[in-house]
Amino acid sequence: MTPLEPSPPVTARETYLNAGYSLKSWLLALDHKRIAILYFVSITLFFFVGGAFATLVRLELMTPRGDLVSSDTYNKLFTMHGIIMIFFFLIPSIPATLGNFLVPMMLGARDLAFPRLNLLSWYIFVAGGVLTMVAVVSGGVDTGWTFYTPYSSAFSNTSVVVTVVGVFVTGFSSILTGLNFIVTIHTLRAPGLTWGRLPLFIWSLYATSIIMILGTPVLAISLALVGAERIFHVGIFDPASGGDPLLFQHLFWYYSHPAVYIMILPGMGVVSEIIPCFARKNIFGYGVVALSSLAIAFTGFLVWGHHMFVSGQSVYSGLVFSFLSYLVAIPSAVKVFNWTATLYKGSISFHTPMLYAFGFLGLFTMGGLTGLFVAALGVDVHVHDTYFVVAHFHYIMVGGMVMAYLGGVHFWWPKISGRMYPEWIARFSAFVVFLGFNLTFFPQYVLGYLGMPRRYHSYPDEFQVLNVLSSAGASILAVGYVLPLIYLLASLKYGKAAGPNPWIATGLEWQTPSPPPTSNFPTTPTVTAGPYEYQDMEVPFVQR
Amino acid sequence: MCSVERGAQLQHQFDDIEQQRQADTLGMWAFLATETLFFGGVILAFSVYRLYYTKGFIEAAHRLHLGLGAINTAILLGSSFTVALAVHAASLGKKKRLVGLLLATGILGLAFLGVKFCEYWSEYREGLVPGLRFTYEGPFPAQVRLFFSFYFVMTALHAAHMVVGIAIFAVVAFQAWRGRYSPEYYSSVEVSGLYWHFVDIVWVFLFPLLYLLRG
Amino acid sequence: MNESFRLLPESASSVAASTDALYFFLCAISAFFTLLIFGLVFYFAVKYRRRSAEPPPRLAASNALEAFWTLVPFGIAVVIFFWGAKLYFHISRPPSDAMDIYVIGKQWMWKVQHPNGRREINELHVPLGRAVRVTLSSQDVIHSFYVPAFRIKQDAVPGRYTVTWFRPIRAGIYHLFCAEYCGTYHSHMIGRVVVLEPERYQAWLSGTPLDEAPEEAGASLFATLGCITCHGARAPTLAGLYGSEVRLADGGTARADEQYIRESILDSTAKIVSGYPPIMPSFRNQLTEEQLFDLLAYIKSLKDPLEKRKAQE
């Protein structure tokens, strides 16, 4: 094995990375690619902070007694794990990093429609994050990420107001990103790039952006009202003053259900880019896959009541929400079938992005199928608020979304950094993630049906075996997440130079050098074909 | 990054000024959609409670100053008129008229805020501010308190949006005075006008809900 | 850890088997589609792994295939929906012969009230085979009454009553969990449901000294709070009120169920009975949840004199 030596600099020409080295040129950057890097750094930080809280939670849950931390501390740990992972990692992740970097490039544009708004959205994100970290270090918050009233508005003794302000502020970051994407996709498409030729990543971000702008404001007002209630004791959600706790749940879930589609749709978009490239085939059912993203976005707004089947809402509401919840599952299933069909008669290679895409296919399918369980009224009565639900959403968010994110990061890493990552370590890492993930979360389905409720600090002895399995899996999963951090950073110095299109992929972004110059394209390209004409291209990486 | 052509500023990501104008307008409409959902949420919550506690809310509505609210409605509608005229002036390149109408809009906005402040002040003196000074002794005290909580949250949010709008008009008026807009490109005037019309429409919902539903 | 490893909780109620049946069906569907997708992906990955520089063939899109794999999942979803809905209807409708138990969730304990006055904390003794209707409320934040062995769960919401029911079919002791996060000791809000054969239940019931039955406690409250001064002459009579339709002053009607009676006590001017002035004082903040239950039990026991005579005949 050759000793590690820094590779020669990738290029002597101007790229977005060497266009300025000062801190100011980064912190006041208007280039969408630099802003994407700023987001990469911040959300990676938040991912590991949220992961640290998860580690402590899983450590505590290895034993039935609450013996590692106090009950109050435990309640803060799971609350802050949820808040950080959802609002500061999952929601921004793919849109603000890969989306910001790639949307203009995939459209043949020089930048997003509103570069200054883009930079502002990052600063708002950081401000919200700082506020929430202030809440974390000044005593924490223990309401659960769902902030149910009247506990959050009248009973909790923790930093609820600072937290809701932090999340409120961060919501605007989401809104501005979504707004920017919608306007960019409408107005800055290159000549010849009709809606029917858009990459599916763009379609998925378009659908995501619609949810961002129509859902986030309702979260903002719900949290604002909780804050007002805590400060002014106004009684909006407190039954002792005539308020209705269920009104909070309706307002909160009106955003927070579509929010899960904000989290998963971009991941689906990434998978739609990876599979055609590594199967060398046009995606099967392009039109259906594109429209299914819109169908998910639309229907996703109609199902929030499925979080409230046992809350005291009427049986008839339950029926409506259950039925609509089955409707929203169908477009996702259709996507899975189309992705699988794309593999048929393809020419498949197993590079790291494709391994993550396979992982997504399997784990998203499993997580999505368990959605059928929780949407079934009679079964949900039993599994609501148990570890079954925890397993369900982690399968989709972590088994689906995070794997798609890692797949996308690996796929576009050469374009973003100009370097290749080390392929074999990366493949090994993908397997570690897959294995660790399943060991962590599959036992939780069983735990949930057995009756172990969520948010429990201590639990009856008979649940211990499954909890130990889950915690063991978590330790493996952690390794799988730390490895990419190390080797991706190392590749910046030691990685092979990537060249403009190491994957021989379609897509306008691959027509630029790696890393790209600040203005992306010297002249605006013209598009004359669909997005996945792989059958017209050479087949790389052929084994002897 | 900005090339100044005849007062217009084409940003580098756009191919031509018309594309930039379309993007600006679409962007503002998308933003107004988010604002609709934002105010919609609190208006929905208010409406739910109005259905539950009709009598208490009617009692509370009588405690608001209908006359001042009506004056404010007239002021705000008037300011929408001036800003519409301003947009028209911009399309014709009439700089002096444009600046004057923008300033008029801002002044009417300030007048609205002034009247609102008077209302808030008298409501404070009458002890109708939950959380700060609430000394109401009449019928349905809990429901009246809830009403006033919503009243202050909704009108304060609306007022905050007006403050932002007035600040925007100050900036746009200044830019107009410096000759930055022409009939070819006056996007900033158009989208500020759109924003202001929206703020007006929110008031057109708040005023009947809060002041006029008094049984 | 000395119990045998289980994949399912015990089945101790009349709905447990039905819930498990739907669960097994869902497991089968999930296993089928999981194996299908995993299998296909694995099979295609092996069979179509890259072996030559030959570009793959173009495949025509197929509307028929898209329709097929849209409609088949939709069909399956509809089946699951109806099955789950049917089960849910059954779980939501207590049988008419159910005995009443009142449960109040409070940070961080369960307070149980039996019809004959017996009170328990964190324990609920019930007889085998008899349907039990649990009326729930909370004194502070939202809790949730969850008995995994019965497969039932219902949130206990402050400010309102919610209802769930079960019919135990196996004697034994079963976990009662709080399933809605409620603060510091949420995970300590654990109790037991003890299902006893009928004779042993009777023995338990008459075992230790009883508190006053709720109806009697309610009757005393009715007197000491002064309700009796109006609701005998000037105010609407309460005999036979429970379950009847009430004509309201604004022209509407209301059904005098538990929620109506509770509201009339706490928020007396919300619904005024036709023909009466709105002068009933409110008793908000003067009564605990237990006292409200006692008054409710007393008012429910007040039969219409005509009905009483009919029942005696």
Side-chain angles (χ1 to χ4, degrees):
Chain A
M1 199 174 123
T2 54
L4 220 46
E5 269 172 23
S7 296
V10 167
T11 178
R13 60 178 169 82
E14 183 258 349
T15 73
Y16 79 97
L17 286 172
N18 63 26
Y21 287 112
S22 67
L23 197 60
K24 186 171 156 198
S25 72
W26 278 93
L27 292 180
L28 292 180
L30 291 176
D31 179 1
H32 65 100
K33 299 182 286 302
R34 286 201 165 197
I35 295 174
I37 303 293
L38 291 174
Y39 266 110
F40 260 116
V41 171
S42 354
I43 66 156
T44 305
L45 232 98
F46 281 119
F47 177 76
F48 283 102
V49 173
F53 287 132
T55 308
L56 289 169
V57 165
R58 287 295 349 149
L59 273 174
E60 171 65 89
L61 290 177
M62 284 185 67
T63 58
R65 304 279 154 269
D67 38 22
L68 188 69
V69 295
S70 71
S71 288
D72 275 327
T73 304
Y74 182 81
N75 295 337
K76 293 175 190 174
L77 288 176
F78 73 68
T79 299
M80 296 182 310
H81 166 71
I83 292 175
I84 291 175
M85 284 308 204
I86 290 177
F87 294 114
F88 297 96
F89 174 69
L90 284 168
I91 299 246
S93 64
I94 292 179
T97 58
L98 296 172
N100 261 330
F101 198 96
L102 295 165
V103 166
M105 298 189 73
M106 286 184 167
L107 297 178
R110 289 181 286 285
D111 207 314
L112 289 175
F114 306 119
R116 284 168 298 188
L117 272 188
N118 198 14
L119 182 64
L120 179 65
S121 89
W122 181 71
Y123 274 105
I124 293 176
F125 174 73
V126 169
V130 165
L131 271 169
T132 309
M133 288 298 111
V134 165
V136 165
V137 302
S138 71
V141 59
D142 73 347
T143 57
W145 83 275
T146 47
F147 297 108
Y148 270 23
T149 60
Y151 182 75
S152 66
S153 54
F155 287 82
S156 171
N157 295 321
T158 60
S159 309
V160 178
V161 172
V162 179
T163 307
V164 299
V165 172
V167 175
F168 180 92
V169 166
T170 302
F172 285 106
S173 165
S174 211
I175 289 174
L176 290 178
T177 298
L179 199 148
N180 227 336
F181 284 171
I182 289 177
V183 176
T184 306
I185 295 171
H186 272 278
T187 57
L188 290 182
R189 279 170 287 129
L193 188 52
T194 58
W195 286 90
R197 289 176 175 167
L198 282 175
L200 288 167
F201 184 62
I202 299 284
W203 273 106
S204 72
L205 283 179
Y206 184 73
T208 305
S209 300
I210 293 179
I211 307 177
M212 277 171 160
I213 67 169
L214 294 181
T216 317
V218 180
L219 174 78
I221 195 70
S222 318
L223 295 182
L225 290 175
V226 168
E229 179 116 332
R230 270 188 86 80
I231 300 176
F232 300 110
H233 308 289
V234 293
I236 294 176
F237 301 123
D238 187 359
S241 315
D244 185 351
L246 258 65
L247 180 63
F248 174 79
Q249 292 182 33
H250 283 291
L251 286 172
F252 177 81
W253 287 114
Y254 178 80
Y255 163 76
S256 298
H257 188 82
V260 314
Y261 299 113
I262 294 178
M263 297 184 241
I264 197 66
L265 277 169
M268 293 170 157
V270 168
V271 170
S272 293
E273 297 298 320
I274 291 177
I275 290 187
C277 178
F278 293 93
R280 309 309 300 174
K281 265 189 78 204
N282 193 355
I283 190 125
F284 195 85
Y286 170 88
V288 169
V289 176
L291 291 177
S292 68
S293 294
L294 294 179
I296 291 171
F298 174 70
T299 326
F301 273 104
L302 304 177
V303 302
W304 76 88
H306 67 218
H307 298 270
M308 298 168 63
F309 287 152
V310 298
S311 64
Q313 76 180 1
S314 81
V315 166
Y316 299 102
S317 304
L319 287 178
V320 170
F321 284 119
S322 171
F323 184 74
L324 289 168
S325 303
Y326 284 107
L327 278 189
V328 80
I330 306 294
S332 299
V334 165
K335 279 190 202 262
V336 170
F337 295 133
N338 276 295
W339 288 321
T340 308
T342 306
L343 296 173
Y344 176 66
K345 292 205 172 156
S347 174
I348 299 172
S349 70
F350 301 102
H351 294 85
T352 307
M354 191 58 151
L355 293 181
Y356 278 114
F358 284 158
F360 179 96
L361 229 47
L363 299 177
F364 173 74
T365 298
M366 288 175 72
L369 285 167
T370 56
L372 300 178
F373 289 69
V374 288
L377 288 158
V379 170
D380 188 61
V381 170
H382 178 60
V383 300
H384 170 73
D385 257 323
T386 67
Y387 264 85
F388 192 91
V389 178
V390 175
H392 161 72
F393 64 70
H394 280 96
Y395 257 81
I396 306 192
M397 290 303 129
V398 183
M401 224 320 275
V402 177
M403 292 199 87
Y405 175 70
L406 288 173
V409 167
H410 284 80
F411 184 53
W412 281 291
W413 187 256
K415 178 58 53 190
I416 294 171
S417 67
R419 306 268 183 183
M420 295 302 289
Y421 58 84
E423 184 64 42
W424 288 98
I425 304 177
R427 290 189 199 189
F428 169 72
S429 207
F431 276 109
V432 170
V433 167
F434 186 83
L435 193 74
F437 173 82
N438 279 297
L439 186 58
T440 308
F441 291 106
F442 196 87
Q444 294 184 6
Y445 284 126
V446 182
L447 267 177
Y449 203 78
L450 278 172
M452 180 171 170
R454 330 161 44 162
R455 299 171 165 171
Y456 262 38
H457 174 218
S458 61
Y459 53 81
D461 288 339
E462 68 257 33
F463 296 138
Q464 183 173 22
V465 172
L466 290 165
N467 269 294
V468 169
L469 282 175
S470 179
S471 296
S475 61
I476 299 174
L477 189 58
V479 169
Y481 288 143
V482 169
L483 278 176
L485 185 66
I486 298 176
Y487 68 68
L488 286 175
L489 283 177
S491 78
L492 292 176
K493 193 156 177 213
Y494 298 109
K496 211 172 65 161
N501 196 353
W503 309 120
I504 317 295
T506 62
L508 289 174
E509 75 271 24
W510 300 106
Q511 309 306 321
T512 64
S514 305
T518 304
S519 59
N520 300 337
F521 301 96
T523 55
T524 304
T526 304
V527 174
T528 53
Y532 305 110
E533 297 300 306
Y534 281 101
Q535 280 99 334
D536 291 338
M537 298 176 74
E538 69 164 286
V539 173
F541 307 114
V542 179
Q543 308 297 330
R544 271 167 281 106
Chain B
M1 205 193 65
C2 298
S3 63
V4 180
E5 303 163 51
R6 281 200 62 200
Q9 308 131 56
L10 180 67
Q11 297 194 1
H12 81 108
Q13 65 269 22
F14 294 109
D15 290 333
D16 54 60
I17 206 74
E18 176 56 25
Q19 197 185 51
Q20 184 169 322
R21 194 198 68 78
Q22 277 179 4
D24 290 345
T25 313
L26 180 59
M28 180 48 78
W29 280 108
F31 178 67
L32 294 181
T34 75
E35 293 279 50
T36 308
L37 269 296
F38 184 69
F39 279 101
V42 69
I43 289 177
L44 178 83
F46 174 84
S47 307
V48 166
Y49 283 124
R50 188 167 193 288
L51 266 164
Y52 281 170
Y53 301 135
T54 314
K55 292 216 191 63
F57 273 37
I58 290 176
E59 185 67 40
H62 282 281
R63 300 278 184 293
L64 289 177
H65 301 274
L66 180 57
L68 291 179
I71 290 172
N72 258 350
T73 307
I75 292 175
L76 205 49
L77 287 172
S79 71
S80 261
F81 185 58
T82 53
V83 80
L85 288 176
V87 173
H88 184 66
S91 73
L92 295 174
K94 301 246 192 269
K95 188 176 99 168
K96 280 232 263 295
R97 203 192 293 180
L98 168 62
V99 175
L101 285 165
L102 288 172
L103 288 177
T105 310
I107 290 171
L108 286 171
L110 285 170
F112 179 100
L113 291 175
V115 171
K116 198 87 215 109
F117 177 76
C118 292
E119 278 186 85
Y120 279 178
W121 182 247
S122 81
E123 272 137 15
Y124 179 77
R125 281 213 330 264
E126 289 158 35
L128 290 170
V129 187
L132 279 177
R133 193 177 128 88
F134 194 76
T135 57
Y136 175 79
E137 298 274 311
F140 310 110
Q143 297 173 17
V144 167
R145 189 193 165 91
L146 198 58
F147 176 93
F148 275 96
S149 305
F150 273 105
Y151 165 77
F152 282 105
V153 167
M154 287 155 86
T155 55
L157 278 174
H158 178 258
H161 281 78
M162 286 197 61
V163 168
V164 170
I166 294 168
I168 289 176
F169 282 128
V171 169
V172 172
F174 178 66
Q175 299 280 51
W177 177 71
R178 288 185 59 202
R180 298 274 250 183
Y181 307 122
S182 69
E184 282 76 41
Y185 187 73
Y186 55 99
S187 206
S188 301
V189 181
E190 269 186 308
V191 302
S192 337
L194 271 178
Y195 174 78
W196 193 254
H197 289 310
F198 176 80
V199 171
D200 192 6
I201 290 178
V202 170
W203 180 256
V204 164
F205 275 83
L206 292 186
F207 179 63
L209 277 175
L210 291 166
Y211 292 82
L212 294 183
L213 294 178
R214 41 176 56 205
Chain C
M1 287 208 17
N2 46 5
E3 294 183 22
S4 57
F5 185 75
R6 316 185 65 105
L7 284 176
L8 293 177
E10 293 178 86
S11 297
S13 83
S14 58
V15 305
S18 323
T19 308
D20 288 353
L22 177 52
Y23 177 68
F24 290 137
F25 178 69
L26 286 162
C27 287
I29 300 274
S30 304
F32 173 74
F33 280 102
T34 301
L35 290 171
L36 178 72
I37 298 296
F38 271 80
L40 279 176
V41 169
F42 191 72
Y43 175 66
F44 288 159
V46 168
K47 177 149 187 217
Y48 300 112
R49 67 190 183 280
R50 191 168 307 170
R51 275 169 290 195
S52 79
E54 182 81 22
R58 284 183 185 280
L59 292 181
S62 167
N63 284 336
L65 198 53
E66 301 287 351
F68 173 73
W69 61 42
T70 305
L71 292 173
V72 168
F74 179 69
I76 297 174
V78 167
V79 166
I80 300 172
F81 164 71
F82 275 109
W83 190 342
K86 181 156 173 261
L87 180 56
Y88 186 63
F89 261 116
H90 180 64
I91 293 174
S92 314
R93 307 234 139 124
S96 47
D97 65 331
M99 61 186 258
D100 278 302
I101 299 278
Y102 299 103
V103 174
I104 296 164
K106 165 187 154 28
Q107 283 174 324
W108 288 278
M109 64 177 78
W110 295 104
K111 301 207 276 192
V112 176
Q113 255 171 272
H114 286 259
N116 71 342
R118 197 62 198 274
R119 288 169 204 271
E120 307 186 71
I121 301 262
N122 291 332
E123 282 210 348
L124 168 58
H125 285 75
V126 288
L128 178 65
R130 179 96 195 270
V132 175
R133 178 191 314 122
V134 181
T135 305
L136 291 156
S137 188
S138 163
Q139 249 174 257
D140 39 40
V141 298
I142 302 179
H143 300 276
S144 193
F145 183 87
Y146 177 38
V147 185
F150 295 167
R151 313 287 188 278
I152 55 128
K153 178 187 291 111
Q154 182 66 255
D155 282 5
V157 184
R160 65 170 76 187
Y161 293 150
T162 52
V163 171
T164 184
W165 75 276
F166 56 84
R167 185 192 303 275
I169 57 169
R170 269 184 49 192
I173 302 178
Y174 308 107
H175 286 304
L176 162 62
F177 291 132
C178 174
E180 184 58 58
Y181 173 70
C182 53
T184 309
Y185 295 116
H186 167 59
S187 40
H188 294 257
M189 206 164 145
I190 296 183
R192 313 181 325 154
V193 178
V194 182
V195 179
L196 297 170
E197 281 96 6
E199 323 79 51
R200 293 191 54 202
Y201 176 73
Q202 284 308 320
W204 172 83
L205 206 54
S206 48
T208 49
L210 299 171
D211 286 337
E212 219 174 15
E215 281 168 29
E216 287 161 28
S220 318
L221 273 174
F222 196 78
T224 52
L225 288 172
C227 318
I228 202 164
T229 52
C230 293
H231 282 285
R234 288 174 275 173
T237 178
L238 301 182
L241 170 68
Y242 177 68
S244 67
E245 286 293 315
V246 180
R247 291 277 317 272
L248 299 176
D250 62 7
T253 56
R255 211 177 116 74
D257 57 10
E258 280 91 343
Q259 198 64 36
Y260 171 83
I261 295 174
R262 181 201 166 88
E263 185 186 51
S264 306
I265 300 172
L266 295 180
D267 197 6
S268 45
T269 50
K271 293 190 175 67
I272 306 295
V273 178
S274 172
Y276 291 91
I279 52 170
M280 174 174 167
S282 154
F283 289 86
R284 190 177 279 285
N285 296 327
Q286 293 181 49
L287 297 170
T288 65
E289 288 294 335
E290 282 113 71
Q291 287 174 319
L292 273 167
F293 270 138
D294 291 337
L295 277 169
L296 186 65
Y298 171 64
I299 292 171
K300 277 163 85 160
S301 75
L302 294 175
K303 297 271 184 288
D304 194 295
L306 194 59
E307 258 186 60
K308 245 199 233 164
R309 264 211 306 280
K310 275 201 199 148
Q312 283 162 356
E313 280 157 28

